[in-house]
């Protein structure tokens, strides 16, 4: 064979070998691809959907949800809440002419705003109350502020008074009976029908001191909504007359009912009207004779008179303050944090459901005696300013369910 022919034969052999190797690689490529894919699956677990649904490289990745996304409307909400807070003073005057529906719309707007205690607003208001009324020393008649021989002028019938002799003096506590101050967390529980189905009971019972008004029921099924703990409960002498027959034939029923309040104080306006005095002193003697655990206190008429003047300058001009506003005022002086429940002057909820006047009956107060809408406006104002917290709906888990999990909580 010629030399040139041998070279050509060698080149042809090399080309044939290269072609055979290329063919072998193309046949094995799918198998290797499967092996690589299976190895990748083993190393990186994925959901069944990811395994069965290929995603185009051009399609966008799913957007991760974070707290910023969930709260993207909060700046607008906070701006609206700030405007509501700043403009509430001027708005308060307009509220006097509001219809119930307009008033409820405002309450709905307030309810959407998260609540925070504003320390400066709270301290300023507390100082105003103290300079006027000084509940820490004057809320109840005591031996240190009312010596024997004092002529106590009645709160309303100011031209008449009662002489404090040894008998009345012996009924008085030595000093103001509320213990070390300030009290930390206080609950003021009104009796409005808005408490029904509120599930506020457990929350109320966690307070360090619980104020209640006018011997409301706390036992039985109502406890889950209103709680059972009571530190102080007011007693209107008219209740003693009407419900308990002035402690004649219904004395046993009275003792049974007040036993539900444990070691609570019973606070009566014994010196607001002359007609109140005899009945209030009878309550004291009845409990003392029965060796009851409850202790009787008497509102100081001078304190109540000054308190009425304080609220009158702020627009509450009714004949007399309600027991609820009285004890809320005491709480604001004595407590670091005040939360108010069961204050609701409306006939329906913000959701348009009917509401009874009380959570236990539908008996309205004597017409013209109290100014509930005016009082509520003041309490709502204090809520907006961060002085106290007003419960506007359901409590805790119930509120979370009602709002789809978005509910504000008290910050302390």
């Amino acid at each position: 064979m010629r030399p040139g022919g041998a070279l050509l034969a060698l080149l042809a052999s090399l080309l044939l070998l290269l072609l055979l190797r290329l063919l072998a690689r193309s046949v094995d490529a799918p198998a290797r691809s499967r092996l690589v894919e299976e190895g990748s699956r083993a190393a990186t677990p994925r959901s069944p959907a990811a395994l069965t649904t290929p995603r185009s490289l051009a399609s966008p990745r799913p957007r991760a949800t974070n707290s910023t996304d969930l709260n993207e409307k909060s700046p607008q909400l906070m701006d609206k809440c700030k405007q509501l807070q700043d403009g509430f003073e001027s708005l308060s005057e307009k509220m006097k002419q509001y219809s119930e529906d307009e008033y409820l719309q405002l309450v709905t707007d307030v309810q959407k705003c998260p609540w925070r205690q504003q320390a400066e607003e709270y301290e300023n208001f507390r100082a105003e109350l103290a300079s006027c009324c000084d509940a820490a020393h004057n809320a109840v008649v005591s031996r240190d502020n009312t010596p024997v021989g004092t002529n106590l002028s009645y709160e309303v019938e100011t031209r008449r008074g009662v002489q404090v002799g040894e008998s009345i003096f012996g009924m008085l506590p030595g000093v103001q009976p509320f213990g070390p101050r300030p009290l930390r967390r206080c609950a003021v529980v009104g009796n409005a029908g808005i408490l029904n189905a509120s599930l506020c009971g457990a929350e109320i019972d966690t307070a360090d001191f619980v104020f209640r008004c006018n011997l409301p029921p706390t036992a039985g099924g109502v406890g889950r909504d209103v709680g059972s703990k009571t530190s102080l409960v007011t007693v209107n002498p008219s209740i003693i007359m009407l419900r308990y027959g002035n402690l004649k034939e219904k004395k046993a029923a009275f003792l049974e009912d007040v036993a539900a309040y444990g070691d609570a104080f019973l606070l009566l306006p014994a010196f607001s009207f002359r007609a109140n005095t005899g009945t209030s002193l009878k309550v004291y003697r009845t409990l003392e004779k029965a060796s009851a655990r409850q202790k009787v206190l008497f509102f100081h008429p001078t304190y109540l008179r000054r308190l009425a003047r304080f609220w009158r300058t702020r627009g509450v001009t009714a004949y007399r303050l309600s027991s609820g506003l009285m004890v809320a005022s005491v709480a604001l002086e004595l407590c670091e944090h005040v939360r108010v429940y069961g204050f609701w002057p409306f006939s329906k909820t913000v959701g348009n459901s009917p509401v009874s006047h009380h959570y236990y009956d539908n008996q309205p107060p004597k017409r013209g005696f109290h100014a509930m809408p005016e009082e509520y406006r003041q309490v709502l104002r204090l809520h907006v300013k961060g002085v106290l917290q007003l419960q506007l709906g359901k409590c805790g888990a119930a509120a979370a369910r009602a709002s789809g999990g978005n509910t504000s909580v008290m910050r302390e």
Side-chain angles (χ1 to χ4, degrees), residues 188-209:
V188 178
V189 186
N191 298 330
I194 195 70
L195 281 172
N196 283 323
S198 67
L199 298 182
C200 288
E203 185 174 288
I204 289 169
D205 286 345
T206 63
D208 300 306
F209 200 96

Side-chain angles (χ1 to χ4, degrees), residues 180-330:
R181 291 181 297 274
L183 301 165
R184 186 168 178 268
R185 295 174 57 249
C186 295
V188 178
V189 186
N191 298 330
I194 195 70
L195 281 172
N196 283 323
S198 67
L199 298 182
C200 288
E203 185 174 288
I204 289 169
D205 286 345
T206 63
D208 300 306
F209 200 96
V210 179
F211 296 83
R212 298 186 189 272
C213 304
N214 294 328
L215 299 181
T218 57
V222 299
R224 66 175 188 169
D225 295 326
V226 306
S228 59
K229 182 176 181 176
T230 304
S231 308
L232 180 148
V233 58
T234 65
V235 184
N236 192 321
S238 64
I239 293 175
I240 303 301
M241 297 289 292
L242 298 174
R243 191 186 302 175
Y244 301 108
N246 204 26
L247 301 180
K248 294 178 181 178
E249 67 276 7
K250 296 184 179 180
K251 183 187 300 184
F254 169 74
L255 291 171
E256 182 179 352
D257 287 349
V258 299
Y261 300 118
D263 295 323
F265 294 111
L266 270 59
L267 179 58
L268 295 94
F271 308 112
S272 292
F273 303 90
R274 285 181 298 163
N276 286 3
T277 306
T279 300
S280 299
L281 299 183
K282 185 177 285 189
V283 169
Y284 179 94
R285 294 187 181 108
T286 299
L287 291 172
E288 182 184 44
K289 187 175 181 178
S291 299
R293 296 165 59 188
Q294 300 75 38
K295 303 300 180 184
V296 172
L297 305 174
F298 304 128
F299 259 130
H300 200 296
T302 303
Y303 169 79
L304 291 180
R305 195 158 49 242
R306 290 173 178 171
L307 187 66
R309 190 180 305 123
F310 175 87
W311 286 112
R312 193 176 298 118
T313 62
R314 287 157 175 76
V316 182
T317 58
Y319 181 65
R320 198 153 183 274
L321 300 178
S322 70
S323 299
L325 189 57
M326 289 177 185
V327 295
S329 301
V330 172

Side-chain angles (χ1 to χ4, degrees), residues 117 121-140 176 178-188 209 211 299-300 302-304 306-308 310-311 314 321 324-340 382 387-388:
Q117 186 182 50
E121 292 282 358
Y122 170 70
E123 291 299 338
N124 289 342
F125 188 81
R126 188 179 185 183
E128 289 179 27
L129 261 180
S131 64
C132 147
C133 310
D134 195 8
H137 299 98
N138 298 323
V140 304
Q176 300 298 295
F178 303 112
R181 291 181 297 274
L183 301 165
R184 186 168 178 268
R185 295 174 57 249
C186 295
V188 178
F209 200 96
F211 296 83
F299 259 130
H300 200 296
T302 303
Y303 169 79
L304 291 180
R306 290 173 178 171
L307 187 66
F310 175 87
W311 286 112
R314 287 157 175 76
L321 300 178
L325 189 57
M326 289 177 185
V327 295
S329 301
V330 172
L332 282 166
E333 277 201 61
L334 301 183
C335 309
E336 292 180 343
H337 303 276
V338 178
R339 190 159 188 169
V340 176
L382 294 178
V387 175
L388 57 73

